[in-house]
Amino acid sequence: MANIEEFSSKSFNVTDWINSACASRPEEEAPDRFLAELEMKLQLNCEDLEVHLEDCTSQVLRRIPFVMQEISRMQGEMKDLQSGVVSLAKDLKRERNFAEDAVSGIKDADRVKRNMEAACNTLKEATDLSDLFARVDGVFAKGNVTDMAEVLSTMRRSLALVSDVPEFRGGNEKIKVLEESLVARIGPRLADALAAKQGEQVKELSGLLLSVDRYSTLEQLYASARAAQFKEIVQTLAAGLEAPSTTPAGFSSLLSDCQDGILATVESELQWCDSVLPENSSELVLRMLKVILEEVNGVIHSSLARLASLPTSLMAQQTTLAFFHSLARTLAPVTDLEGISAITSLLFQPFESEVRRYAVLEKEELISTVEKFSSGVEVMEGEREVGVEAMVSKIVESVGTMFKAGDEAVERCMGFTGGTELGSLLPAMDSALDRYYLWLLSSLKTIRSKSLGGAAGGPGSPADMASVLQLLRVSCRLEDRIGDLTKKLRDALVGLAPKLKEAASDIRANLSDLATSRLQGDPASLKSLITLVSDAEALQFSAIPLSERAHNGFKAASEALVFDVLMRKLRENMSGLAKMPEWSKGAMSSGGVNLPQFSAYALPYVTSSGEYLMVLPQQLEALVGGEGEEEKQLEEEEELAGIWLDKIVSGAAELYADEILQIPSLTAQGCAQLAADVQYFGNILSAMGFAPSEDLNIIEKALGMSTEELKQAAGVLNPTGRDVVWVSMGKKRGVVALEKPAGKQ
């Protein structure tokens, strides 16, 4: 039989219980018998439960009268207890009032006692103070500084009690005079003891000063004594930094040596002060450190202002940051965060001044890079006639140098200012690059003059031709570099977002996080930088807009120069083509003799042009770099060479067609000659893998037509589009154009 608890469960299910019981039925027992027995057991259990419930109910009913009796008894006792509590509360209130009256009297008596004692003590102090004022001059006359300090300490303490007494109103002034006299006697001895590190004497004399509340004097004497020891270190630093040949690394090395000396002294002074002046150890060492840093800062500030070199400032700041971490570890056990914060502000003060003029320094740094190029070219031109090859080489060299300077400027900005001056860097960078592109355009003008101005060895020089072609590679390289620099600037700006969020919060920045601390102290700059970073996240943001426009101008100018240089040979060959006498020649008289008819041969102008076009692919190989270049770059250069071959071939075909259309008239013999020339030119283009232009095809067809056929082909009034070529060719052969029927186009 199952446990009774199964039937008391809230989740009891009759069907599930019966199924479970049937599942436990022995296999040899018949189901109907098993179920009958199970029903019998349940019925017997129900009867047992019913009997048990009747017994429990009877017992409960028998207990009810007894329980009611107990409840009545407890209610009576509760009423008696409440009455007792009320009575007790009244007694307590009465006793409290009595106690309060008694305590009030005691308080009054105590106040009277204390006032009487204070009056007594004041009278005693006044009596003693009068005696001290009477004999203090004698104590000072004896010269015992211990007695002098003791008397002054007692007088100051007593005077604090009786300062309102008319007799002693001038006492403070006299005590100050006496204290100055005491300090004048102790000061030199204490200064000598501090300089010699005589611990016992320093402890004794310092105690005397502290007893008369002259800690400031002790601090001043200690700082002065230790600053004198640092004089040699500061002088060595100043002498080294004043050298005209000081490099950034040299500056940093000298500063590091000085800071190592300061750190070693701070560590030793902490140990010495802990043993001699333990209660004032940290305050004295911090005061000494501030005095020393102020002197060192003066040297650093003047040197940085004189050098005006950002690389020097950056290296010196990094050196100082390493020194700060070591110094903070030394000071952390003996001072609080405020003390270290004050030292931090003082330590980096010279560099914060440089940060404020960062934009000016960075612009000068970048412009000096541009001036190296322009001044270099001026020197070359002053020494000798500078060739195209040398000038192009200078341009090629300048690209890497200029954009390396740009990358370094971004790194300097992030390293030196933590990115807080990126807003100043952008216009400085843009201005310097714009100036660089102005120099590039000026160089292009000079190269154009030398390449196309008729100078000896100019356009015909293979070396110059190859050099001019390099301008296309320079343009592509410039486009890549300016794109990389723009991305670097944008990434730097976007990367500032977490720092700006931290700076805008109320959380105090880490002491070594100079950038965040600087922004927290300058809300206007923080707001401006947040706006700039937000703009940088937009796709249309342009970090250096002037430079991007200047690059487009340089690209167009360099492509125009290359095109003109490559087309010069063709233009020279075809110059004057329209006025050549071959086009107006008539048939030669044979004197009645039948002479054989010979086919016309292509004239030199077109054969020379064809030969030039045939060797052009070899010349354009100058665009394809040599060994060591990446496969992708080689593919891009090969594609560039193919584009320019197509551009020059198309330009040649257009030039040839334009020159032909300038011919005033064609005789039959001239027509045959021109047909031979055009056919030759077309064969050259086909051999190079290019189809002749549409205009040349029309010209060739027009030259091969009879006059009647040409009249039909050129029959149009007010010609437009390609019909102009048909009409022009018809006029050259004396064909009068026919008007096309209305409605036909």
Side-chain angles (χ1 to χ4, degrees):
M1 187 62 190
N3 194 311
I4 191 72
E5 293 180 357
E6 292 185 33
F7 296 92
S8 63
S9 174
K10 293 182 179 180
S11 60
F12 176 76
N13 185 281
V14 175
T15 303
D16 293 341
W17 184 86
I18 294 175
N19 290 335
S20 176
C22 291
S24 61
R25 176 181 62 84
E27 294 181 358
E28 64 276 6
E29 188 174 358
D32 53 347
R33 182 179 178 181
F34 175 78
L35 292 174
E37 291 179 356
L38 182 62
E39 180 183 0
M40 181 62 69
K41 291 178 181 179
L42 284 174
Q43 188 174 358
L44 292 175
N45 285 332
C46 288
E47 292 175 355
D48 292 341
L49 285 173
E50 185 177 358
V51 171
H52 180 70
L53 287 173
E54 289 178 355
D55 292 342
C56 290
T57 302
S58 300
Q59 293 178 10
V60 168
L61 291 174
R62 286 195 299 271
R63 292 284 297 173
I64 287 176
F66 176 76
V67 170
M68 294 299 294
Q69 184 179 355
E70 287 294 316
I71 291 173
S72 298
R73 183 181 63 78
M74 291 179 67
Q75 286 177 341
E77 292 178 353
M78 182 66 69
K79 289 180 180 179
D80 295 340
L81 182 61
Q82 287 177 343
S83 300
V85 169
V86 170
S87 176
L88 181 61
K90 291 180 179 179
D91 294 340
L92 287 175
K93 183 177 181 180
R94 184 173 60 255
E95 294 298 328
R96 185 188 67 182
N97 293 334
F98 176 77
E100 286 177 351
D101 294 339
V103 169
S104 177
I106 293 173
K107 285 182 178 179
D108 292 339
D110 181 67
R111 182 167 54 257
V112 171
K113 175 178 175 294
R114 285 188 283 107
N115 290 339
M116 293 178 67
E117 289 177 346
C120 181
N121 291 334
T122 301
L123 290 173
K124 185 175 182 297
E125 291 289 343
T127 302
D128 293 343
L129 186 59
S130 297
D131 180 61
L132 288 174
F133 271 111
R135 66 186 183 89
V136 67
D137 292 334
V139 174
F140 269 71
K142 293 179 181 179
N144 188 323
V145 292
T146 303
D147 293 342
M148 293 162 64
E150 184 178 353
V151 168
L152 286 177
S153 177
T154 303
M155 290 176 67
R156 177 178 288 278
R157 186 173 59 254
S158 298
L159 191 60
L161 296 174
V162 297
S163 58
D164 293 334
V165 178
E167 182 182 353
F168 303 113
R169 285 178 182 172
N172 284 323
E173 287 73 14
K174 184 171 184 178
I175 288 179
K176 288 181 181 179
V177 173
L178 293 173
E179 285 179 350
E180 293 298 331
S181 176
L182 176 63
V183 170
R185 298 177 186 229
I186 294 177
R189 295 170 56 187
L190 179 56
D192 294 339
L194 286 169
K197 289 193 173 182
Q198 297 172 347
E200 292 301 323
Q201 190 172 1
V202 168
K203 185 183 297 184
E204 178 184 355
L205 295 174
S206 297
L208 296 178
L209 284 179
L210 294 174
S211 68
V212 294
D213 198 23
R214 296 303 291 264
Y215 170 77
S216 60
T217 303
L218 170 61
E219 189 178 70
Q220 182 180 358
L221 291 172
Y222 175 78
S224 299
R226 293 298 177 262
Q229 298 177 1
F230 277 92
K231 188 174 182 180
E232 184 178 353
I233 295 177
V234 176
Q235 288 177 344
T236 301
L237 175 65
L241 297 183
E242 288 175 0
S245 59
T246 302
T247 62
F251 191 109
S252 180
S253 177
L254 289 168
L255 183 59
S256 178
D257 292 342
C258 175
Q259 291 171 344
D260 288 344
I262 293 174
L263 182 62
T265 302
V266 168
E267 292 173 347
S268 65
E269 284 301 310
L270 281 173
Q271 294 178 356
W272 187 81
C273 286
D274 283 342
S275 62
V276 178
L277 300 167
E279 294 182 357
N280 308 105
S281 174
S282 60
E283 292 86 351
L284 290 173
V285 173
L286 285 176
R287 174 60 180 165
M288 172 201 72
L289 184 57
K290 290 177 181 178
V291 171
I292 295 168
L293 289 180
E294 286 172 356
E295 292 188 17
V296 172
N297 283 352
V299 175
I300 295 174
H301 182 74
S302 61
S303 299
L304 290 178
R306 175 176 54 83
L307 294 173
S309 168
L310 276 176
T312 300
S313 299
L314 175 58
M315 291 190 68
Q317 186 191 59
Q318 291 173 341
T319 300
T320 303
L321 192 60
F323 170 60
F324 162 75
H325 289 301
S326 300
L327 186 62
R329 285 194 295 270
T330 301
L331 296 177
V334 297
T335 188
D336 56 10
L337 183 61
E338 292 299 325
I340 298 178
S341 178
I343 294 297
T344 304
S345 299
L346 186 61
L347 190 60
F348 291 101
Q349 191 178 71
F351 306 106
E352 289 302 303
S353 299
E354 294 299 292
V355 167
R356 285 191 290 272
R357 63 188 193 117
Y358 165 80
V360 175
L361 294 175
E362 190 63 82
K363 187 174 182 179
E364 291 176 354
E365 193 79 26
L366 291 168
I367 288 179
S368 68
T369 303
V370 179
E371 289 176 346
K372 290 176 184 177
F373 307 140
S374 56
S375 61
V377 171
E378 290 172 2
V379 170
M380 292 169 62
E381 291 179 346
E383 294 176 351
R384 58 182 174 82
E385 180 68 21
V386 183
V388 171
E389 184 177 1
M391 295 192 70
V392 173
S393 296
K394 188 71 175 177
I395 291 176
V396 172
E397 178 187 350
S398 73
V399 175
T401 305
M402 187 66 213
F403 282 91
K404 180 182 179 184
D407 291 341
E408 290 174 348
V410 179
E411 292 170 2
R412 274 195 301 270
C413 184
M414 299 305 297
F416 186 52
T417 75
T420 62
E421 299 302 312
L422 275 172
S424 301
L425 173 63
L426 296 185
M429 178 83 75
D430 205 14
S431 176
L433 284 174
D434 186 52
R435 188 165 178 170
Y436 169 65
Y437 274 104
L438 286 176
W439 171 76
L440 288 177
L441 288 172
S442 176
S443 300
L444 282 185
K445 290 180 181 179
T446 304
I447 293 172
R448 172 178 283 276
S449 175
K450 292 178 179 295
S451 300
L452 301 174
S461 170
D464 285 353
M465 179 76 74
S467 297
V468 171
L469 287 172
Q470 292 305 311
L471 293 174
L472 297 175
R473 296 181 68 187
V474 169
S475 179
C476 293
R477 188 179 177 194
L478 277 170
E479 189 164 2
D480 291 340
R481 293 304 297 270
I482 202 168
D484 292 342
L485 182 59
T486 300
K487 182 178 183 301
K488 191 168 189 174
L489 289 168
R490 183 197 292 268
D491 290 346
L493 282 169
V494 174
L496 279 180
K499 186 182 293 292
L500 297 181
K501 184 178 180 181
E502 180 183 354
S505 68
D506 296 331
I507 301 174
R508 183 172 181 174
N510 188 292
L511 291 179
S512 61
D513 189 351
L514 304 179
T516 303
S517 300
R518 187 182 309 119
L519 290 172
Q520 288 181 335
D522 189 355
S525 296
L526 174 61
K527 183 178 179 180
S528 175
L529 200 53
I530 289 174
T531 302
L532 181 60
V533 170
S534 177
D535 293 342
E537 293 174 346
L539 294 176
Q540 65 273 20
F541 176 75
S542 178
I544 42 178
L546 290 178
S547 304
E548 291 176 353
R549 287 196 293 270
H551 170 75
N552 293 333
F554 171 79
K555 182 179 180 181
S558 60
E559 289 180 352
L561 173 58
V562 171
F563 184 80
D564 290 343
V565 168
L566 292 177
M567 289 293 294
R568 176 164 184 173
K569 177 67 173 176
L570 297 168
R571 288 170 178 162
E572 287 179 347
N573 288 339
M574 297 183 183
S575 177
L577 182 150
K579 299 179 181 179
M580 290 176 63
E582 282 77 4
W583 318 133
S584 58
K585 285 184 179 181
M588 295 180 60
S589 176
S590 61
V593 180
N594 292 326
L595 297 176
Q597 298 294 322
F598 297 97
S599 300
Y601 290 96
L603 295 176
Y605 81 89
V606 74
T607 57
S608 177
S609 298
E611 291 169 358
Y612 174 76
L613 290 175
M614 291 296 289
V615 299
L616 188 60
Q618 285 73 30
Q619 292 179 332
L620 290 174
E621 287 181 357
L623 292 175
V624 182
E627 297 180 359
E629 290 190 352
E630 296 182 359
E631 183 178 352
K632 181 180 179 181
Q633 185 175 355
L634 288 173
E635 291 177 356
E636 291 175 352
E637 291 171 351
E638 289 174 355
E639 182 180 357
L640 180 63
I643 291 172
W644 273 88
L645 179 61
D646 180 74
K647 186 177 293 189
I648 298 304
V649 169
S650 299
E654 183 179 353
L655 173 65
Y656 190 26
D658 289 344
E659 290 294 332
I660 290 174
L661 294 178
Q662 299 301 318
I663 298 174
S665 63
L666 287 169
T667 62
Q669 184 175 343
C671 186
Q673 180 61 58
L674 184 57
D677 293 347
V678 172
Q679 184 180 14
Y680 175 85
F681 192 83
N683 291 337
I684 292 295
L685 297 186
S686 298
M688 295 178 67
F690 293 93
S693 67
E694 188 174 349
D695 286 352
L696 281 180
N697 281 331
I698 293 174
I699 290 171
E700 187 174 9
K701 290 178 182 178
L703 291 172
M705 289 180 177
S706 65
T707 55
E708 189 62 31
E709 291 172 336
L710 184 56
K711 182 182 295 186
Q712 295 295 328
V716 64
L717 293 175
N718 299 322
T720 58
R722 299 299 176 187
D723 289 344
V724 174
V725 181
W726 286 106
V727 172
S728 177
M729 291 305 297
K731 289 181 179 180
K732 296 179 195 316
R733 295 182 59 185
V735 174
V736 179
L738 297 176
E739 184 178 356
K740 284 188 177 182
K744 292 187 178 182
Q745 299 295 329

